């Protein structure tokens, strides 16, 4: 069964360092998303991406965040200068349709020290 | 601010009982509604989606939608201990993104 894959599963970094989280969406999907979930809190939308550009971004997705689809398969989230409050689980998701179900990867746990 | 509200629980039911999970949403223009299950430390896993008013059944699960009341529910029949998890209600507010509720923790006791 097709699935969304994410790497790394866990990353520990020092405050101020840059982090890149990688995702391989399901191959025939066209819509890509990043969500995050701080421990004990709700799943929060960060950004959606379609046709090689950002469709929508949340207030959380400020200038320290960027997304890229560098080739036909990978979808990356870059956090330029990490803060303590960026510690969370980051989920990549993809969808075949704009109003369809999202399929989530297993997540990348980011710990900022 | 578009919101999706759920009772955080925990909701505790005995094995074999029906578990009823509820969700309300604020955006009247929402078109599609989803229930995800999330085990601790894991990613959300899609259980069901519903687009039209009424009931939709899939095995032991029934989703119910009432757009006039802005209300979505999930019924789990014959609850099993393996159903113990957090259930997330998610709403597509016509922009393609899903907005998630806080989730309801379900505990099924043997």
């Amino acid at each position: 069964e097709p699935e969304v894959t994410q790497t790394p599963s866990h990353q520990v970094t020092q405050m101020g360092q840059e982090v890149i989280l990688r995702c391989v969406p399901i191959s025939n999907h066209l819509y890509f998303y990043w969500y995050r979930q701080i421990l004990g809190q709700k799943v929060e939308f960060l950004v959606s991406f379609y046709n090689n550009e950002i469709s929508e971004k949340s207030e959380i997705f400020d200038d320290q965040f960027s997304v890229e689809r560098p080739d036909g398969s990978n979808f990356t989230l870059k956090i330029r200068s990490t803060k303590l409050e960026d510690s969370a689980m980051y989920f990549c998701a993809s969808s075949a349709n704009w109003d369809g179900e999202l399929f989530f990867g297993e997540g990348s746990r980011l710990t900022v020290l | 601010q578009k919101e999706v509200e759920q009772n955080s629980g925990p909701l505790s039911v005995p094995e074999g009982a029906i578990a009823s999970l509820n969700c309300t949403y604020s955006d009247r223009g929402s078109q599609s509604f989803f229930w995800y299950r999330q085990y601790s430390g894991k990613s959300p896993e899609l259980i069901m989606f519903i687009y039209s008013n009424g009931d939709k059944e899939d095995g032991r699960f029934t989703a119910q939608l009432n757009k006039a009341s802005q209300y979505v529910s999930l019924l789990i029949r014959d609850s099993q201990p393996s159903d113990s998890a957090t259930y997330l209600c998610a709403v597509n507010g016509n922009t393609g993104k899903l907005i998630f509720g806080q989730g309801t923790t379900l505990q099924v006791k043997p």
Side-chain angles (χ1 to χ4, degrees), chain B residues 29-44:
Chain B
S30 299
Q31 296 294 323
S32 48
F33 307 86
F34 304 83
W35 283 100
Y36 285 82
R37 177 174 61 199
Q38 186 177 33
Y39 293 110
S40 181
K42 300 295 186 181
S43 61

Side-chain angles (χ1 to χ4, degrees), chain A residues 6 33 35 37 40-45 48 55-59 89 91 97-107 109, chain B residues 1 3-5 31-32 34 36 38 41-46 49 51 88 92-103:
Chain A
Q6 290 187 242
Y33 305 83
Y35 284 78
Q37 187 175 31
Q41 298 188 22
K42 67 168 65 176
V43 176
E44 299 176 289
F45 169 77
S48 58
S55 308
E56 187 175 354
K57 57 184 179 179
S58 70
E59 293 176 353
M89 182 75 92
F91 294 111
N97 305 299
W98 76 270
D99 64 345
E101 58 269 41
L102 268 59
F103 293 90
F104 284 82
E106 290 298 310
R109 179 169 298 284
Chain B
Q1 181 78 357
E3 298 285 343
V4 177
E5 299 288 340
Q31 296 294 323
S32 48
F34 304 83
Y36 285 82
Q38 186 177 33
K42 300 295 186 181
S43 61
E45 173 191 10
L46 180 70
F49 58 88
Y51 296 153
L88 309 178
N92 186 323
N94 261 349
T95 63
K97 74 182 185 196
L98 292 189
I99 302 169
F100 283 83
Q102 180 79 9

